Amino acid sequence: VGFDEANVLAPALAQQRQARLRMAALAPMTLLLTLAVSALLLRVAREQAALAASRALLRATLDATGEGVLVVGADDRVLHVNRSLRQLWQLPDGTGEGSPHAQLLDLGARLLADPQAFDALRRQIETSGDMALALLPCADGRKFECHTRAVQLEGKPLRLWTVRDVTELQRGREQLEQRVEERTQALK
């Protein structure tokens, strides 16, 4: 019995040709897909670097301001505390982003002449959602001006607190008022 080698090998050769054709078609598509994924990854990396640079600039800007800044998220967790607020309120190093905001405000309130009044004011403001401006006398004689208001960021509610030391401004105002009073009395 003789075998016709060409007929026996024909199906295998046909499969081999089809495999080569498939490889010839798949290789460029694989290369294109790899290039597309690489381009997307590069784009994402660039966007993340730009976002990180933008965040760093924002943090540096907030840290450079003379006012203490506290940003609280919708979940009542601290999103940011700047350097000025850390110094004004003498906050411990571990306290900040991710902490419950009430804990941070309580740490600041311990410096005030009347911490309970500040706590009551804070609760009233946060319950009503109002904006507030308050003068907060400290136990050591300093005076802080505290401003808070609700803001929206991409549809999410945040609360922004700013605190600044107005002790010298208050002293100057009181001295000016005293001089005006003295001059008024002298003219009578």
Side-chain angles (χ1 to χ4, degrees):
V1 192
F3 286 109
D4 184 11
E5 189 176 319
N7 284 337
V8 172
L9 293 177
L13 292 172
Q15 285 181 353
Q16 189 179 25
R17 272 193 304 270
Q18 285 179 345
R20 281 191 203 129
L21 288 173
R22 275 191 232 120
M23 287 301 292
L26 287 177
M29 290 190 337
T30 303
L31 180 61
L32 283 173
L33 186 59
T34 302
L35 289 173
V37 169
S38 296
L40 285 174
L41 289 174
L42 184 60
R43 181 177 168 192
V44 166
R46 285 182 183 151
E47 287 176 1
Q48 286 179 340
L51 182 59
S54 179
R55 283 184 179 157
L57 176 62
L58 179 59
R59 287 188 185 277
T61 302
L62 288 173
D63 280 343
T65 185
E67 292 188 6
V69 177
L70 170 65
V71 183
V72 179
D75 62 354
D76 291 333
R77 296 242 172 232
V78 174
L79 297 176
H80 182 72
V81 181
N82 75 342
R83 186 177 304 138
S84 296
L85 189 66
R86 287 183 185 286
Q87 291 170 347
L88 278 174
W89 282 0
Q90 304 163 7
L91 296 175
D93 288 338
T95 308
E97 284 80 1
S99 301
H101 84 289
Q103 174 188 5
L104 211 73
L105 292 174
D106 289 344
L107 287 170
R110 78 188 193 290
L111 302 173
L112 302 177
D114 190 354
Q116 289 79 19
F118 175 71
D119 187 54
L121 175 67
R122 175 184 64 85
R123 289 178 192 279
Q124 175 192 351
I125 292 166
E126 290 175 350
T127 303
S128 67
D130 289 341
M131 179 172 80
L133 177 66
L135 186 63
L136 306 172
C138 294
D140 65 3
R142 293 181 297 163
K143 294 185 179 163
F144 291 160
E145 182 180 81
C146 179
H147 181 256
T148 183
R149 65 183 216 144
V151 295
Q152 293 281 322
L153 178 65
E154 297 177 355
K156 295 180 182 173
L158 303 176
R159 179 155 291 276
L160 179 65
W161 294 81
T162 59
V163 179
R164 67 184 181 134
D165 188 338
V166 293
T167 306
E168 292 303 316
L169 182 64
Q170 283 294 110
R171 282 188 190 134
R173 184 178 294 151
E174 290 167 3
Q175 289 173 355
L176 183 60
E177 288 172 358
Q178 182 180 358
R179 287 184 194 150
V180 168
E181 179 63 30
E182 288 170 0
R183 305 267 173 167
T184 304
Q185 291 299 325
L187 291 173
K188 288 185 179 181

